[in-house]
Every structure is written in structure tokens, then in C-alpha cells.
Amino acid sequence: MPYINIKITKEGATKEQKQQLIQGATNLLVEVLGKNPATTVVVIEEVDTDNWGIGGKQVSELRKQS
Amino acid sequence: MPYINIKITKEGATKEQKQQLIQGATNLLVEVLGKNPATTVVVIEEVDTDNWGIGGKQVSELRKQS
Amino acid sequence: MPYINIKITKEGATKEQKQQLIQGATNLLVEVLGKNPATTVVVIEEVDTDNWGIGGKQVSELRKQS
Amino acid sequence: MPYINIKITKEGATKEQKQQLIQGATNLLVEVLGKNPATTVVVIEEVDTDNWGIGGKQVSELRKQS
Amino acid sequence: MPYINIKITKEGATKEQKQQLIQGATNLLVEVLGKNPATTVVVIEEVDTDNWGIGGKQVSELRKQS
Amino acid sequence: MPYINIKITKEGATKEQKQQLIQGATNLLVEVLGKNPATTVVVIEEVDTDNWGIGGKQVSELRKQS
């Protein structure tokens, strides 16, 4: 019955990669805690790089500098 | 003062349906717990079917199979 | 498949009231959007009144004033 | 190591304003709790005014009335 | 830079199991999306079984029936 | 109308510090975006150091090493 929310910056994750995140996160809960996969929910949220900050800086700006 | 977050897959909920969710969720908190509706906040988030998984599978794929 | 998160201040909601919130929120999604109740998840989070603020003030302080 | 999530209605916040939110929230955690800014994460989510409700009403409708 | 939030019912997950969830979720984001583990944050939230519902029923009640 | 959620590790934040976080976060939204403080909600969540991970490690373990 777990609920897993994965927030990432919106930088081109493919449908296939999202499927891998969903499958992998579900398997993790099954393997570590014996949870039922049928009722395990995974929600991926993609956030604009202008809207994500770390170290007080926007990721969109950090990407330019690197 | 409650805060209610409703996450659904993005599959065409109308403005009217969203209003019904907001009204219904607010009423629920008023009726069950006597909360003040004026400061009850409801936020609906619509998630792409590629980004939602259940049972380890993407909803976009589950929809094709059904 | 919806996921509903209800955050309230921790002020003595009973087990029965929580059941009413779970049932009511699930029904709301079934009635408004035709969602499947079997995979509708409701999570209630109770937050200490010191940890909840509105209008820039702690609820624990607001309760004293009212 | 704090994580700060700011949800606002999607009503034209500029990139510069988002940077101010990220910087300000990070500074707040550093000043009040002495947290390390390098691992402080801020995520801003902008929500359609049809999807945000207060007092049981959609913000998109409240905006029309005011 | 991802942020992963895992919500589970509070039913005795051990410190070691939580470490496995943290390690496993971090590895997943590194392997699937090439994310930097150093800034990947995992937050586990354990929710009372009275506060979690599925299919309109409290988990605390569902556990009694099974 | 903004909603701000601040997650921190549970390591002894005082009631006074929480008030400063609530006041500071509310002011930030007022100053940067001109939001109405009366309907600005701040929720602080304190997470056990066993339940928070960064870099694939539990904070409770990282604290021992430092």
C-alpha cells in the first residue's frame, strides 16, 4: 500500500525511463518491506528547472554555469 | 485550516468536476471535523499517465491493455 | 487510482472521524470522476499546532487568543 | 538538508521572483535553524487557478468576482 | 537533485530496512537517470494505520479482517 | 493563498524557531509575490533522522560520523 512520490527536474526523462522508475520503486518496497505491489502507487513529478533550487540557486542558472 | 491535496491522472477532468471536488472536499472537513471552510485549502494536481504507476506499471500502458 | 492527502492540525480527531474522512474522500472521487474506489488511497496527516501557521502565526498561539 | 515546497497559483510569477523565493527560503532555514544551504532544496509548484480552491470555491471563479 | 518521498504505514519498519529504502531509492535515480547521489534526498514517512485508507476503509480495520 | 511545506529533520527545533519559520516564510510570499498573508499556510514537518537520507545514507548515521 505504499505511496512513492519522485520529484525530478524536467530535463527530458523518457517514457521508458519513467517506467523503469515505477518498476524499480515498486520492486524496492516489495523486496525491503514485503509490500503488495498491486496497491503500490508511484507518482513522478517533473519540475521546471526555474522552479527547483539547491544551495539558494535556481537549477536553470546552475546548468548554465556548469 | 485543513489542506487537502488530490492527485489524479490527467485524463480530462473538467473545470466543473474540479469545482465539485473542491466543494465536496471542503464540505467533508466541515461536516466531519467542524473545520472552518474559509481557511480550508484544496489543491488538485493532474499527473500525466506516463508518470503514474500502480502495480509496477505505467497507467498509460495499463489503459492500452484494458 | 487517486491519491488524497488530508493535512489537519492534531487536535483530537477520533478513529471514527478519520474513517469518515477516508470514506467521504473516496466516495467523492467515485462520484465526481468515476474513479475506482479499490485503488483510491487516502492519507491523513495530523500536524502539531506549533508546526502549523496561518497569517504568519502559529495555530497554538492563535488558539490561546481565541 | 531541509526540503521546502512552495505551492502557488499559476499567475505569472517571473523567473526572477522564483529565484527570490528560492534564495529567501534557503536563507530562512540557514538563519533560523543553522541549516547547511548547500543541501537545502526548494521546489516551487505552480497550480492552475481551476485546480486551487479556498472556502469551497475555485480561485479562477474568485478572481472573476473580485 | 531528486527528492523521493516514501509513505508507508507505521508497522514496524526497522532502521536497517529504512536504510535499504534510502540506498535503493538513491541507486534507482542514479541508474535510471544518471542523477548525482550526493544531492538525492529520500524522506520516509510512517503513517498510523488509522490514518491510511484504501478502498474507503481504514488499514487498521482491514488488518483485523485479514 | 500560498501553501508552504517545510520538512526538516527532528533535531530539537524550538517552538520559537518554528514561529520564526512560519513568520519568515509568510513574509517571503508577501514580499516577493504580493500574496495575502491571511490565507498563507505554512506546515512544518519534522522527520526522524532514521527516516531522512542524503547521498544514500541515513542522517542518523551521518551524524555519528561527523
Side-chain angles (χ1 to χ4, degrees):
Chain A
M1 220 161 338
Y3 170 80
I4 302 132
N5 183 234
I6 300 173
K7 285 190 207 283
I8 52 175
T9 45
K10 194 180 190 77
E11 299 180 277
T14 65
K15 180 174 176 177
E16 170 66 23
Q17 287 173 321
K18 292 173 188 176
Q19 171 54 30
Q20 289 173 23
L21 291 177
I22 289 168
Q23 183 70 61
T26 304
N27 287 350
L28 184 68
L29 274 287
V30 172
E31 286 162 18
V32 175
L33 292 175
K35 294 293 184 183
N36 179 4
T39 54
T40 295
V41 174
V42 181
V43 172
I44 301 166
E45 293 179 279
E46 297 173 278
V47 176
D48 194 283
T49 52
D50 279 355
N51 291 19
W52 194 298
I54 186 160
K57 299 220 171 66
Q58 267 169 322
V59 172
S60 52
E61 289 304 301
L62 293 171
R63 291 286 185 258
K64 285 185 198 168
Q65 293 162 22
S66 61
Chain B
M1 221 161 336
Y3 170 79
I4 302 132
N5 182 236
I6 300 174
K7 285 189 208 282
I8 53 175
T9 45
K10 194 180 192 78
E11 299 180 276
T14 65
K15 180 174 176 177
E16 171 65 23
Q17 287 173 321
K18 292 173 187 176
Q19 171 53 30
Q20 290 173 24
L21 291 177
I22 289 167
Q23 184 69 63
T26 304
N27 288 350
L28 183 67
L29 274 288
V30 172
E31 286 162 17
V32 175
L33 293 175
K35 295 293 184 182
N36 178 4
T39 53
T40 295
V41 174
V42 181
V43 172
I44 301 167
E45 293 179 278
E46 297 173 277
V47 176
D48 194 282
T49 53
D50 280 355
N51 291 19
W52 194 298
I54 187 161
K57 299 221 171 66
Q58 268 169 322
V59 172
S60 51
E61 289 302 301
L62 292 171
R63 290 286 185 257
K64 285 185 198 169
Q65 292 163 23
S66 63
Chain C
M1 223 161 337
Y3 170 80
I4 302 132
N5 183 235
I6 300 173
K7 286 191 208 282
I8 53 175
T9 44
K10 194 181 191 78
E11 297 180 279
T14 65
K15 180 174 176 176
E16 171 64 24
Q17 288 173 321
K18 292 173 187 175
Q19 171 54 29
Q20 289 173 24
L21 291 176
I22 288 167
Q23 184 69 62
T26 304
N27 288 350
L28 183 67
L29 275 287
V30 172
E31 286 161 17
V32 175
L33 293 175
K35 295 293 185 183
N36 178 5
T39 52
T40 295
V41 173
V42 181
V43 172
I44 301 165
E45 293 179 279
E46 296 174 279
V47 176
D48 194 282
T49 54
D50 280 355
N51 291 18
W52 194 297
I54 186 161
K57 300 221 172 66
Q58 268 170 322
V59 172
S60 51
E61 289 303 301
L62 293 171
R63 292 284 186 258
K64 284 185 198 167
Q65 293 163 21
S66 62
Chain D
M1 224 162 334
Y3 169 80
I4 302 132
N5 183 235
I6 300 173
K7 286 190 208 283
I8 53 175
T9 44
K10 194 181 191 79
E11 299 180 276
T14 65
K15 181 174 175 175
E16 171 64 25
Q17 287 173 321
K18 292 173 188 176
Q19 171 54 29
Q20 289 173 23
L21 291 176
I22 288 167
Q23 183 70 63
T26 304
N27 288 350
L28 184 67
L29 274 288
V30 171
E31 286 160 18
V32 176
L33 293 175
K35 294 294 184 182
N36 178 5
T39 53
T40 296
V41 174
V42 181
V43 172
I44 301 166
E45 293 180 277
E46 297 174 278
V47 176
D48 193 283
T49 53
D50 280 354
N51 291 19
W52 193 298
I54 186 160
K57 299 221 172 65
Q58 267 168 323
V59 173
S60 51
E61 289 304 301
L62 293 170
R63 291 285 185 257
K64 286 185 197 169
Q65 293 162 24
S66 63
Chain E
M1 218 162 338
Y3 170 79
I4 302 132
N5 183 235
I6 300 173
K7 285 190 206 285
I8 53 175
T9 45
K10 195 180 189 77
E11 299 180 277
T14 65
K15 180 174 176 177
E16 170 65 24
Q17 288 173 320
K18 292 173 188 176
Q19 171 54 29
Q20 290 173 23
L21 291 177
I22 289 167
Q23 183 70 62
T26 304
N27 288 349
L28 184 67
L29 274 288
V30 172
E31 285 162 18
V32 175
L33 293 175
K35 294 294 185 183
N36 178 5
T39 53
T40 296
V41 174
V42 181
V43 172
I44 301 166
E45 293 179 279
E46 296 174 279
V47 176
D48 194 282
T49 53
D50 280 355
N51 291 19
W52 194 298
I54 186 161
K57 300 219 171 67
Q58 267 169 324
V59 172
S60 51
E61 288 304 300
L62 292 171
R63 292 286 187 256
K64 285 184 196 167
Q65 292 162 24
S66 61
Chain F
M1 221 162 335
Y3 170 80
I4 302 131
N5 182 235
I6 300 174
K7 285 190 207 285
I8 52 174
T9 45
K10 195 181 191 78
E11 299 179 278
T14 65
K15 181 175 176 176
E16 172 63 26
Q17 288 174 320
K18 292 173 188 176
Q19 171 53 30
Q20 291 173 23
L21 291 177
I22 288 167
Q23 184 69 63
T26 303
N27 288 351
L28 183 67
L29 275 288
V30 172
E31 287 161 18
V32 176
L33 293 175
K35 295 293 184 183
N36 178 4
T39 53
T40 295
V41 174
V42 181
V43 172
I44 302 167
E45 293 179 279
E46 297 173 278
V47 176
D48 194 283
T49 53
D50 280 355
N51 291 18
W52 194 298
I54 187 162
K57 300 222 170 66
Q58 269 170 321
V59 172
S60 51
E61 288 303 302
L62 293 170
R63 291 286 185 257
K64 286 185 196 168
Q65 293 162 23
S66 63

